[in-house]
Amino acid sequence: MSRIIFVLGGARSGKSRYASLMAKRSGQKTVFIATATALDDEMRERIRLHKISRPKDWSLIEEPLDLRRCMLTLKPVYGTALIDCLGLWISNLLMTGMKDTSIEKMIKGFVEAARKAKAGTVIIVSNEVGSGIVPADPLSRRFRDLIGLANQAVAEKADDVFFMHAGIPVKLK
């Protein structure tokens, strides 16, 4: 059974940086599991900057949709798996046209698979969007609701949960 560390926070809160630092400090062979897809120039640049900030010896798996399968097929050579991030994953699922009930099943399956992953530690990064205003459009409200459900599901199963405030990790669990 994997140890799960959950790092969440708002935009530019330092969550990815902190999660990467934890993975580096583990001293374990690390795989970075990226959920981002380069749909425009701005996202391509973000992905490029993320790639150059990671250690060269980390492996990379790009998985925008099936995180459950990714967790279940993870090779045991990795002591640490870092998933960044659930917000982009939920966005990707929404863009496929999936219904909320199907996405909720995928969230549940992912959380169960993360616990069973062959990596010693799974670090999961996610966005916290529930503290802001109620979004004006239906798609944004769906995203807010689904990421909130995903965050609750991961936090419940996680061994450690950190919330990032202005680059400062606050341990919640």
Side-chain angles (χ1 to χ4, degrees):
M1 232 164 64
S2 292
R3 177 174 178 240
I4 296 176
I5 300 173
F6 188 36
V7 181
L8 73 160
R12 299 291 185 214
S13 62
K15 58 192 175 292
S16 293
R17 184 177 42 79
Y18 184 66
S20 292
L21 183 62
M22 282 194 290
K24 288 174 193 172
R25 287 181 177 167
S26 76
Q28 301 290 318
K29 185 171 177 64
T30 298
V31 60
F32 186 91
I33 301 166
T35 62
T37 53
L39 299 176
D40 56 41
D41 290 340
E42 186 263 343
M43 189 52 110
R44 274 188 281 283
E45 179 63 9
R46 284 178 180 258
I47 291 169
R48 186 187 73 76
L49 292 172
H50 255 275
K51 283 181 178 179
I52 64 173
S53 73
R54 292 193 296 265
K56 302 286 185 242
D57 62 336
W58 285 10
S59 297
L60 172 66
I61 297 173
E62 294 177 337
E63 183 49 67
L65 297 172
D66 197 349
L67 285 180
R68 178 187 172 277
R69 181 191 54 76
C70 186
M71 290 290 95
L72 293 176
T73 59
L74 203 58
K75 293 180 174 38
V77 298
Y78 300 113
T80 302
L82 170 53
I83 302 166
D84 197 355
C85 81
L86 293 190
L88 289 170
W89 177 55
I90 297 294
S91 291
N92 296 337
L93 296 176
L94 283 168
M95 293 300 109
T96 68
M98 291 178 78
K99 296 198 179 305
D100 290 4
T101 54
S102 296
I103 294 173
E104 289 171 23
K105 286 180 187 173
M106 290 194 71
I107 292 166
K108 184 178 184 213
F110 160 67
V111 173
E112 291 170 358
R115 181 54 81 184
K116 295 175 185 173
K118 291 187 172 83
T121 301
V122 176
I123 303 170
I124 303 169
V125 177
S126 188
N127 305 94
E128 174 53 58
V129 298
S131 298
I133 61 171
V134 175
D137 64 275
L139 179 59
S140 297
R141 286 191 297 274
R142 282 181 68 204
F143 172 79
R144 181 221 33 213
D145 292 349
L146 289 165
I147 194 68
L149 291 173
N151 288 346
Q152 288 181 57
V154 173
E156 179 183 343
K157 298 294 183 185
D159 299 287
D160 299 292
V161 178
F162 295 91
F163 190 83
M164 297 301 296
H165 284 285
I168 300 170
V170 178
K171 188 164 187 175
L172 301 177
K173 177 181 176 185

